[in-house]
Amino acid sequence: MTTSSELDARDCVVVTGASTGIGAASARELARQGFHVLAGVRREQDAEALRLPGIEPVILDITRADHIAELTARVNARTGALRALVNNAGVSANAPVETLPLDEWRRLFEVNLFGHVAVTQALLPTLLRHSGRLINISSVGGKIAMGTFGPYGATKFALEAVSDALRREVAPLGVKVVVVEPGGIRTKMADRGIAVTNQLAKAMSPEHQDRYGPLVQAVTAQTAAFTTKGTSAEDAAQVISKAVNARKPRTRYTIGRDAALLTRLTRVLPDRMLDRLVAAGLRPYWPKTAAPSLKQAADRA
């Protein structure tokens, strides 16, 4: 049986947002490879479900300074090196730009951007001492923003910008920064995101319902279809493991064929042509009750 001192002597990886999905799968995979994984979860029941050999769950809400301070103290109390920080925590909510209350915009940014920056600032000195690496889990939504994906996409576009700047700042100091861009992944987060989107749609004013209701229905149906056919969390964890372990990791990894295709298209197609392709892909999901003028307007966008 491995003792606590032996675990503390192992190289460590911190994974935030490890309660379910990609985070939990990554924690299990990295522990299997011999790392001591500090897995951030928000509830005790999630901690118990994740408590496996090599995994030490820690209660972590990345928007709380006291939680981050406790995590930092735990990392620095270990004798082993901090090999990597995987910034994976996140929330999802889709709504048209006009309709989403500013408090919801702020909530998304607090978790999907500012929380990651706070954890990074706290642990970067340790990563620098150990020549570790930083893995930021972005999204294909950090490269292309579909209709209603403006709020979520804005947080991911911002995370991509922070990652680019940080990569250029710390590469000469021995720390590698890697961005991972998943497409459709079969996780509870995806299901929760759809549920939140439906709640936000119900709260829209009658005027907004007329204006955007069919679009929200179409995007939600398309998202559900892509998620059902998406990559498993376990396969996503293999990509994250590669980003942690590769001697010379790429600056970006995509997960899933949809992410790989869309990120390539954003690099080569003019905006208007990309708009037409997005509209064509959405067309089969428009509700049959939608006014023809709305569908035609979407196709002309």
Side-chain angles (χ1 to χ4, degrees), residues 106-141:
R106 294 187 178 101
R107 182 181 74 91
L108 284 174
F109 271 88
E110 283 294 338
V111 178
N112 292 355
L113 181 66
F114 302 140
H116 295 319
V117 171
V119 175
T120 298
Q121 288 179 336
L123 293 182
L124 189 56
T126 310
L127 286 171
L128 288 165
R129 283 200 304 274
H130 298 151
S131 296
R133 65 187 55 173
L134 177 67
I135 317 295
N136 283 333
I137 309 303
S138 180
S139 167
V140 66

Side-chain angles (χ1 to χ4, degrees), residues 81-253:
L82 177 59
R83 178 74 167 272
L85 164 61
V86 180
N87 280 322
N88 172 71
V91 292
S92 176
N94 294 341
V97 171
E98 182 185 2
T99 71
L100 190 68
L102 281 177
D103 284 348
E104 281 296 312
W105 281 86
R106 294 187 178 101
R107 182 181 74 91
L108 284 174
F109 271 88
E110 283 294 338
V111 178
N112 292 355
L113 181 66
F114 302 140
H116 295 319
V117 171
V119 175
T120 298
Q121 288 179 336
L123 293 182
L124 189 56
T126 310
L127 286 171
L128 288 165
R129 283 200 304 274
H130 298 151
S131 296
R133 65 187 55 173
L134 177 67
I135 317 295
N136 283 333
I137 309 303
S138 180
S139 167
V140 66
K143 289 297 187 183
I144 179 171
M146 312 292 191
T148 78
F149 276 77
Y152 177 77
T155 67
K156 294 302 185 180
F157 270 71
L159 183 62
E160 298 260 351
V162 169
S163 300
D164 284 346
L166 187 61
R167 184 180 70 250
R168 290 157 185 153
E169 292 164 1
V170 299
L173 306 177
V175 171
K176 295 179 174 64
V177 178
V178 180
V179 173
V180 177
E181 297 163 342
I185 307 291
R186 301 193 302 272
T187 65
K188 290 183 179 179
M189 179 182 170
D191 294 337
R192 287 195 296 268
I194 290 173
V196 171
T197 297
N198 288 333
Q199 291 172 2
L200 292 170
K202 288 178 182 177
M204 288 194 302
S205 69
E207 181 182 8
H208 289 159
Q209 289 281 0
D210 288 342
R211 201 174 293 165
Y212 303 113
L215 172 63
V216 172
Q217 291 180 53
V219 172
T220 301
Q222 185 187 51
T223 301
F226 272 69
T227 300
T228 300
K229 300 172 185 175
T231 305
S232 71
E234 288 70 26
D235 286 344
Q238 293 293 328
V239 177
I240 292 167
S241 170
K242 188 182 300 184
V244 169
N245 287 297
R247 189 171 67 86
K248 292 184 177 179
R250 302 202 301 259
T251 58
R252 280 176 171 79
Y253 292 84

